[in-house]
Amino acid sequence: MTVSKFKGAFAALMLSAAAVPALAEDVNIVVWAGGSNDADAYRITAIELAADMLEREAAIEGRELNITVEGKRDFGGWEEFKQGVTLAAEAGTAPNIVVTSHLDIAPWSQAGYIVPTEDYLDFDAWPLNDIYPNLLEIAAYNGIQWGIPQDAESRPFFFWKDTMRGIGYSDADIAALPAKIEAGEYTLQNVLEDAKKAVEMGLVEEGYGFYPRPSNGPDYAQFYQSFGGVLQDPETGKLVLDKAAMEAFYQFFADAVDAGITRKNHLGTDWGQWYSEVANGKAATWHGGTWHYARYTGKEGNEDFFGTIEFGLIPAGNDNGRANTITHPLVYLVTDQQNDDHEDIAAQLVKIASEPRMNSLHAIQSAHLGISKQQSNIEIYSNDRWASEATERLLGTANAQPNNLDYGAFSEAMFKGLEAAWTGVKSPADAVAELESELTAKLGDNLIVK
């Protein structure tokens, strides 16, 4: 990685400080965090704590550094947040640090809104060298480390234990499911079979054998991967449409509807209704996010999560696919500023906020997963059963949607095709044919079709 510019500047300041009386430096750092609520407060609070640490380090070195941190997270939604960042950057008034989706790295780096963190930080040194490599890769684009993962999550497959017992599984069988899924011994075909049994035996209502999330999201790309689909070609960086994998993915959901285990009109279900139903046993199987744990055990009143729910990777769909999960980490990005010293300081604050103990505060309070290996040795993290088990089962092998300027169009078109096959408007084969036509027209040379 690039040698830190900040270290060089820091050294020069230290030498000058030894020769002349130190002058106070007052710095105002503005942090905007998208998609955040009270539970996610540490996305900003961690920067405030880091500022205190950096001030104390400077004082020991004989300098007076005064950092004021201003945070904002009360946006009307992701669209308002991203529009705000874009307009502020264009006007030259961007916040110093933004907490956002890793998918913003591609467009914002190309637009010149953000600067590479690798220009200021040593990623071969602590604490950055302890961050999971797959998460660092997600925060990079075109071989450049633009950001640092702020948190992590994953999107597992869930089973309601009582229903599984009702169709003949012993407690030992249920406990073995995560390992069997990882080994490819329990597949999406088994999901269809077990969900159908649950409906036929009256353990769940028709349409509740497999109860997917009710709107588009990164989760659905997991099922494409389950059947062997690849989102991005690693050599060229181009997006990939594997027609056979896409058709098998669409066929799985069409089969679930035909079997009466998923409702034909399921998409668009109210999220509040969905959360309540899956958290309290109305559905036999479903998929969701690791952060759902807080909702299930909090607002939805499930007081015995581990006694009622089992979880694992999304199962493989066929021999061409694999068990998998997608993580969609938010990232810390440092914006382009007129004052390069402020970029230096912002990067240092992000580094300190990424230390295992600091990041664990956010992870546990918000029911997210950590970003680094040593967090498993931090008591507040290791003593939390959900964080520990979800990290062990899911995070180390999680992949992500690609940082590609055209991925948004790819994802929207893929879901539109899924919806057509799901609702029976088109056959899976016809839906894929239309998808190919649309993506070829929109993406051109940035798409590989196979």
Side-chain angles (χ1 to χ4, degrees), residues 56-321:
R56 291 172 182 272
E57 290 175 348
I60 290 173
E61 294 165 348
R63 299 178 303 108
E64 184 178 350
L65 177 62
N66 302 309
I67 303 173
T68 300
V69 176
E70 297 180 18
K72 177 178 172 61
R73 56 181 171 85
D74 55 338
F75 298 91
W78 276 110
E79 185 175 349
E80 180 183 309
F81 164 76
K82 294 186 181 188
Q83 183 181 48
V85 172
T86 299
L87 292 175
E90 292 287 353
T93 59
N96 303 81
I97 299 169
V98 292
V99 186
T100 190
S101 163
H102 71 94
L103 295 177
D104 292 320
I105 292 175
W108 288 358
S109 64
Q110 296 300 291
Y113 300 158
I114 58 176
V115 296
T117 53
E118 69 174 32
D119 284 355
Y120 304 106
L121 303 173
D122 184 358
F123 282 79
D124 293 325
W126 176 264
L128 304 182
N129 63 354
D130 189 57
I131 295 176
Y132 288 104
N134 56 335
L135 295 183
L136 277 179
E137 184 179 344
I138 293 166
Y141 176 63
N142 280 347
I144 297 172
Q145 195 70 50
W146 292 93
I148 296 175
Q150 189 277 322
D151 63 15
E153 39 94 313
S154 190
R155 292 154 194 264
F157 201 88
F158 294 101
F159 302 84
W160 191 256
K161 288 186 175 182
D162 275 350
T163 303
M164 299 302 287
R165 293 186 187 104
I167 63 173
Y169 281 74
S170 67
D171 286 345
D173 293 334
I174 295 170
L177 278 173
K180 291 186 68 175
I181 291 171
E182 185 175 8
E185 296 170 4
Y186 185 94
T187 69
L188 290 175
Q189 184 59 41
N190 298 118
V191 170
L192 292 178
E193 294 168 357
D194 287 343
K196 188 172 183 179
K197 288 178 186 177
V199 171
E200 290 177 343
M201 295 174 66
L203 299 172
V204 296
E205 295 177 17
E206 185 172 350
Y208 284 81
F210 170 51
Y211 209 60
R213 65 170 283 153
S215 65
N216 192 14
D219 308 58
Y220 284 110
Q222 297 172 137
F223 292 89
Y224 173 55
Q225 294 181 154
S226 289
F227 290 97
V230 174
L231 294 169
Q232 185 176 40
D233 178 61
E235 295 184 3
T236 64
K238 295 181 179 182
L239 299 174
V240 179
L241 170 58
D242 183 324
K243 293 191 291 183
M246 192 69 70
E247 183 175 345
F249 156 38
Y250 288 177
Q251 188 67 58
F252 168 74
F253 281 86
D255 289 345
V257 172
D258 290 343
I261 64 174
T262 300
R263 291 186 290 123
K264 187 175 185 178
N265 63 347
H266 175 80
L267 292 173
T269 296
D270 177 75
W271 270 103
Q273 173 189 334
W274 184 89
Y275 275 118
S276 175
E277 290 171 337
V278 300
N280 292 290
K282 189 164 184 179
T285 65
W286 68 98
H287 65 99
T290 48
W291 67 97
H292 289 182
Y293 172 82
R295 175 76 179 249
Y296 298 166
T297 59
K299 184 176 181 179
E300 305 308 334
N302 185 325
E303 298 179 353
D304 186 20
F305 177 89
F306 293 99
T308 56
I309 294 173
E310 189 58 83
F311 71 98
L313 297 167
I314 302 296
N318 56 25
D319 291 341
N320 295 322

Side-chain angles (χ1 to χ4, degrees), residues 17 51 76 78 135 166 201 206 209 269 332 348 369 385 387 403 427-428 447:
W78 276 110
L135 295 183
M201 295 174 66
E206 185 172 350
T269 296
Y332 277 126
Q348 293 297 319
L369 302 183
R385 182 177 175 183
N403 291 335
S427 69
L447 180 71

Side-chain angles (χ1 to χ4, degrees), residues 411-430:
S411 177
E412 289 177 10
M414 178 172 65
F415 183 74
K416 186 173 72 173
L418 170 62
E419 189 172 17
W422 186 322
T423 58
V425 173
K426 289 183 173 65
S427 69
D430 288 344

